[in-house]
Amino acid sequence: MYAPERQQEILRLARDGGRVDVVSLAEEFQVTAETIRRDLKALDRAGLLRRVHGGAIPAGRLDFEPDLAERESTAADEKDRIAKAALAELPADGTMILDAGSTVALLAAAIPPESSLTVVTHSLPIAARLADHPGIQLHLVGGRVRHRTRAAVDAWALRAYGEIRADLVLVAANGFSAEHGLTTPDLAEAAVKRAAVAAARRVVLLADSSKHGQEHFARFGALSDVDLLITDGGLSPDDATAIERAGTEVVRA
């Protein structure tokens, strides 16, 4: 088990039981007590757990994650404009990765049926939208499916992205900023996003302006890793200029 997966499980156990202790966790995950203390320290620094003698108790809200239906209905007009603007970035005939996310899903729905592309995704909703496109060679990445995002995570997904190289990745984030980079609430989801970004030559972030300045528990990259940010007019010209000065092109749809 990867450290992010173990920490996510520790967080779940703490919430379910009200507290966790080092000895029991070490036995549960078959690791040393020192490894568990490092996990608890990481979760404490993130504000998700509070260390107490011999263990930890839940704390913090950085892991809050709306469900899929709520995300799809939030900033719907802005996301629609972002998705339409992103169509111009698709390769005429190439390979791309589509990350799990409501705005990326809107882009997938807008891809013309006659498009000739190779698409890789770990998102079940996105795969369903593209499955009937005759010109698209669709590759669905497998793994444990998270109910909240309908996306595959964990070792299978990480291994798959480690074995490919794509022209483009269209990635989503719950928060982005120059200071804290690209963040999302779930550690396992962040690990897959990080792998998808590493597998592509060009990185395009699709994120509405409400996510600018937001910070979540799991960081999966720096804003400087992004070649192009497509957002909406709610991002101020000053903020857009600051992001561009740091090396990321900005389109305000």
Side-chain angles (χ1 to χ4, degrees), residues 116-138:
S116 178
L117 292 165
T118 296
V119 176
V120 183
T121 186
H122 56 285
S123 165
L124 295 184
I126 288 175
R129 292 181 182 187
L130 295 177
D132 293 331
H133 282 47
I136 288 180
Q137 295 186 44
L138 178 64

mmCIF file of all heavy atoms in Angstrom, residues 116-138:
data_model
loop_
_atom_site.group_PDB
_atom_site.id
_atom_site.type_symbol
_atom_site.label_atom_id
_atom_site.label_comp_id
_atom_site.label_asym_id
_atom_site.label_seq_id
_atom_site.Cartn_x
_atom_site.Cartn_y
_atom_site.Cartn_z
ATOM 1 N N SER A 116 -10.692 12.216 -34.878
ATOM 2 C CA SER A 116 -9.791 11.078 -34.948
ATOM 3 C C SER A 116 -8.721 11.257 -33.881
ATOM 4 O O SER A 116 -7.725 11.952 -34.081
ATOM 5 C CB SER A 116 -9.153 10.993 -36.342
ATOM 6 O OG SER A 116 -8.243 9.926 -36.408
ATOM 7 N N LEU A 117 -8.940 10.647 -32.732
ATOM 8 C CA LEU A 117 -8.059 10.827 -31.585
ATOM 9 C C LEU A 117 -7.905 9.520 -30.820
ATOM 10 O O LEU A 117 -8.786 8.659 -30.864
ATOM 11 C CB LEU A 117 -8.635 11.878 -30.624
ATOM 12 C CG LEU A 117 -8.694 13.330 -31.084
ATOM 13 C CD1 LEU A 117 -9.625 14.116 -30.170
ATOM 14 C CD2 LEU A 117 -7.305 13.942 -31.081
ATOM 15 N N THR A 118 -6.787 9.414 -30.117
ATOM 16 C CA THR A 118 -6.634 8.356 -29.121
ATOM 17 C C THR A 118 -6.808 9.011 -27.755
ATOM 18 O O THR A 118 -6.100 9.964 -27.421
ATOM 19 C CB THR A 118 -5.248 7.702 -29.211
ATOM 20 O OG1 THR A 118 -5.113 7.060 -30.487
ATOM 21 C CG2 THR A 118 -5.070 6.663 -28.109
ATOM 22 N N VAL A 119 -7.778 8.538 -26.995
ATOM 23 C CA VAL A 119 -8.115 9.140 -25.708
ATOM 24 C C VAL A 119 -7.916 8.120 -24.599
ATOM 25 O O VAL A 119 -8.382 6.987 -24.697
ATOM 26 C CB VAL A 119 -9.568 9.661 -25.690
ATOM 27 C CG1 VAL A 119 -9.924 10.206 -24.308
ATOM 28 C CG2 VAL A 119 -9.763 10.734 -26.750
ATOM 29 N N VAL A 120 -7.238 8.548 -23.538
ATOM 30 C CA VAL A 120 -7.044 7.723 -22.350
ATOM 31 C C VAL A 120 -7.706 8.440 -21.181
ATOM 32 O O VAL A 120 -7.499 9.642 -20.986
ATOM 33 C CB VAL A 120 -5.552 7.511 -22.045
ATOM 34 C CG1 VAL A 120 -5.374 6.583 -20.843
ATOM 35 C CG2 VAL A 120 -4.818 6.961 -23.265
ATOM 36 N N THR A 121 -8.503 7.723 -20.404
ATOM 37 C CA THR A 121 -9.149 8.345 -19.248
ATOM 38 C C THR A 121 -9.364 7.314 -18.140
ATOM 39 O O THR A 121 -9.518 6.128 -18.408
ATOM 40 C CB THR A 121 -10.491 8.998 -19.626
ATOM 41 O OG1 THR A 121 -11.014 9.714 -18.486
ATOM 42 C CG2 THR A 121 -11.507 7.959 -20.078
ATOM 43 N N HIS A 122 -9.365 7.793 -16.906
ATOM 44 C CA HIS A 122 -9.709 6.943 -15.763
ATOM 45 C C HIS A 122 -11.075 7.329 -15.207
ATOM 46 O O HIS A 122 -11.462 6.879 -14.135
ATOM 47 C CB HIS A 122 -8.644 7.057 -14.664
ATOM 48 C CG HIS A 122 -8.402 8.454 -14.193
ATOM 49 N ND1 HIS A 122 -7.686 9.375 -14.936
ATOM 50 C CD2 HIS A 122 -8.771 9.104 -13.053
ATOM 51 C CE1 HIS A 122 -7.627 10.521 -14.270
ATOM 52 N NE2 HIS A 122 -8.287 10.379 -13.136
ATOM 53 N N SER A 123 -11.815 8.150 -15.952
ATOM 54 C CA SER A 123 -13.138 8.612 -15.546
ATOM 55 C C SER A 123 -14.223 7.794 -16.238
ATOM 56 O O SER A 123 -14.309 7.777 -17.473
ATOM 57 C CB SER A 123 -13.308 10.100 -15.906
ATOM 58 O OG SER A 123 -14.666 10.481 -15.847
ATOM 59 N N LEU A 124 -15.070 7.131 -15.466
ATOM 60 C CA LEU A 124 -16.158 6.356 -16.055
ATOM 61 C C LEU A 124 -17.155 7.230 -16.818
ATOM 62 O O LEU A 124 -17.570 6.869 -17.920
ATOM 63 C CB LEU A 124 -16.875 5.550 -14.972
ATOM 64 C CG LEU A 124 -16.060 4.459 -14.267
ATOM 65 C CD1 LEU A 124 -16.957 3.701 -13.288
ATOM 66 C CD2 LEU A 124 -15.445 3.501 -15.262
ATOM 67 N N PRO A 125 -17.587 8.394 -16.268
ATOM 68 C CA PRO A 125 -18.530 9.226 -17.029
ATOM 69 C C PRO A 125 -17.953 9.709 -18.361
ATOM 70 O O PRO A 125 -18.666 9.757 -19.366
ATOM 71 C CB PRO A 125 -18.800 10.401 -16.078
ATOM 72 C CG PRO A 125 -18.525 9.866 -14.719
ATOM 73 C CD PRO A 125 -17.379 8.919 -14.899
ATOM 74 N N ILE A 126 -16.681 10.057 -18.378
ATOM 75 C CA ILE A 126 -16.064 10.523 -19.621
ATOM 76 C C ILE A 126 -15.965 9.378 -20.619
ATOM 77 O O ILE A 126 -16.256 9.546 -21.813
ATOM 78 C CB ILE A 126 -14.687 11.144 -19.333
ATOM 79 C CG1 ILE A 126 -14.868 12.490 -18.628
ATOM 80 C CG2 ILE A 126 -13.879 11.314 -20.620
ATOM 81 C CD1 ILE A 126 -13.585 13.146 -18.180
ATOM 82 N N ALA A 127 -15.566 8.208 -20.156
ATOM 83 C CA ALA A 127 -15.489 7.050 -21.053
ATOM 84 C C ALA A 127 -16.854 6.739 -21.659
ATOM 85 O O ALA A 127 -16.959 6.434 -22.857
ATOM 86 C CB ALA A 127 -14.953 5.842 -20.293
ATOM 87 N N ALA A 128 -17.904 6.847 -20.861
ATOM 88 C CA ALA A 128 -19.256 6.566 -21.361
ATOM 89 C C ALA A 128 -19.664 7.555 -22.446
ATOM 90 O O ALA A 128 -20.335 7.187 -23.413
ATOM 91 C CB ALA A 128 -20.250 6.603 -20.209
ATOM 92 N N ARG A 129 -19.243 8.803 -22.291
ATOM 93 C CA ARG A 129 -19.610 9.820 -23.279
ATOM 94 C C ARG A 129 -18.871 9.633 -24.599
ATOM 95 O O ARG A 129 -19.351 10.084 -25.647
ATOM 96 C CB ARG A 129 -19.324 11.213 -22.709
ATOM 97 C CG ARG A 129 -20.233 11.568 -21.549
ATOM 98 C CD ARG A 129 -19.978 12.951 -21.005
ATOM 99 N NE ARG A 129 -20.848 13.210 -19.852
ATOM 100 C CZ ARG A 129 -20.947 14.383 -19.243
ATOM 101 N NH1 ARG A 129 -20.245 15.408 -19.663
ATOM 102 N NH2 ARG A 129 -21.762 14.527 -18.217
ATOM 103 N N LEU A 130 -17.707 8.999 -24.569
ATOM 104 C CA LEU A 130 -16.892 8.863 -25.783
ATOM 105 C C LEU A 130 -16.983 7.479 -26.415
ATOM 106 O O LEU A 130 -16.459 7.266 -27.500
ATOM 107 C CB LEU A 130 -15.432 9.171 -25.458
ATOM 108 C CG LEU A 130 -15.131 10.610 -25.027
ATOM 109 C CD1 LEU A 130 -13.650 10.748 -24.674
ATOM 110 C CD2 LEU A 130 -15.511 11.600 -26.115
ATOM 111 N N ALA A 131 -17.622 6.549 -25.736
ATOM 112 C CA ALA A 131 -17.610 5.158 -26.189
ATOM 113 C C ALA A 131 -18.233 4.967 -27.568
ATOM 114 O O ALA A 131 -17.860 4.033 -28.294
ATOM 115 C CB ALA A 131 -18.328 4.275 -25.166
ATOM 116 N N ASP A 132 -19.169 5.826 -27.956
ATOM 117 C CA ASP A 132 -19.855 5.675 -29.239
ATOM 118 C C ASP A 132 -19.229 6.497 -30.364
ATOM 119 O O ASP A 132 -19.735 6.489 -31.484
ATOM 120 C CB ASP A 132 -21.335 6.054 -29.099
ATOM 121 C CG ASP A 132 -22.096 5.078 -28.220
ATOM 122 O OD1 ASP A 132 -21.702 3.897 -28.185
ATOM 123 O OD2 ASP A 132 -23.063 5.494 -27.570
ATOM 124 N N HIS A 133 -18.142 7.229 -30.085
ATOM 125 C CA HIS A 133 -17.486 8.018 -31.130
ATOM 126 C C HIS A 133 -16.677 7.083 -32.029
ATOM 127 O O HIS A 133 -15.681 6.501 -31.576
ATOM 128 C CB HIS A 133 -16.551 9.060 -30.510
ATOM 129 C CG HIS A 133 -17.266 10.259 -29.962
ATOM 130 N ND1 HIS A 133 -18.370 10.153 -29.158
ATOM 131 C CD2 HIS A 133 -17.033 11.590 -30.119
ATOM 132 C CE1 HIS A 133 -18.794 11.365 -28.833
ATOM 133 N NE2 HIS A 133 -18.001 12.250 -29.404
ATOM 134 N N PRO A 134 -17.054 6.929 -33.287
ATOM 135 C CA PRO A 134 -16.391 5.935 -34.147
ATOM 136 C C PRO A 134 -14.924 6.257 -34.438
ATOM 137 O O PRO A 134 -14.133 5.346 -34.679
ATOM 138 C CB PRO A 134 -17.233 5.962 -35.431
ATOM 139 C CG PRO A 134 -17.890 7.307 -35.434
ATOM 140 C CD PRO A 134 -18.145 7.637 -33.998
ATOM 141 N N GLY A 135 -14.558 7.535 -34.420
ATOM 142 C CA GLY A 135 -13.181 7.903 -34.762
ATOM 143 C C GLY A 135 -12.222 7.900 -33.593
ATOM 144 O O GLY A 135 -11.019 8.096 -33.769
ATOM 145 N N ILE A 136 -12.728 7.686 -32.395
ATOM 146 C CA ILE A 136 -11.889 7.760 -31.200
ATOM 147 C C ILE A 136 -11.488 6.359 -30.740
ATOM 148 O O ILE A 136 -12.331 5.481 -30.569
ATOM 149 C CB ILE A 136 -12.622 8.495 -30.060
ATOM 150 C CG1 ILE A 136 -12.702 9.986 -30.387
ATOM 151 C CG2 ILE A 136 -11.914 8.291 -28.727
ATOM 152 C CD1 ILE A 136 -13.399 10.814 -29.341
ATOM 153 N N GLN A 137 -10.182 6.189 -30.574
ATOM 154 C CA GLN A 137 -9.677 4.973 -29.941
ATOM 155 C C GLN A 137 -9.637 5.234 -28.438
ATOM 156 O O GLN A 137 -8.807 6.004 -27.962
ATOM 157 C CB GLN A 137 -8.285 4.624 -30.459
ATOM 158 C CG GLN A 137 -8.249 4.259 -31.929
ATOM 159 C CD GLN A 137 -6.867 3.786 -32.350
ATOM 160 O OE1 GLN A 137 -6.223 2.997 -31.648
ATOM 161 N NE2 GLN A 137 -6.413 4.274 -33.493
ATOM 162 N N LEU A 138 -10.536 4.624 -27.723
ATOM 163 C CA LEU A 138 -10.720 4.917 -26.305
ATOM 164 C C LEU A 138 -10.041 3.861 -25.440
ATOM 165 O O LEU A 138 -10.262 2.663 -25.615
ATOM 166 C CB LEU A 138 -12.218 4.964 -25.982
ATOM 167 C CG LEU A 138 -12.608 5.219 -24.531
ATOM 168 C CD1 LEU A 138 -12.148 6.600 -24.074
ATOM 169 C CD2 LEU A 138 -14.126 5.083 -24.364
#
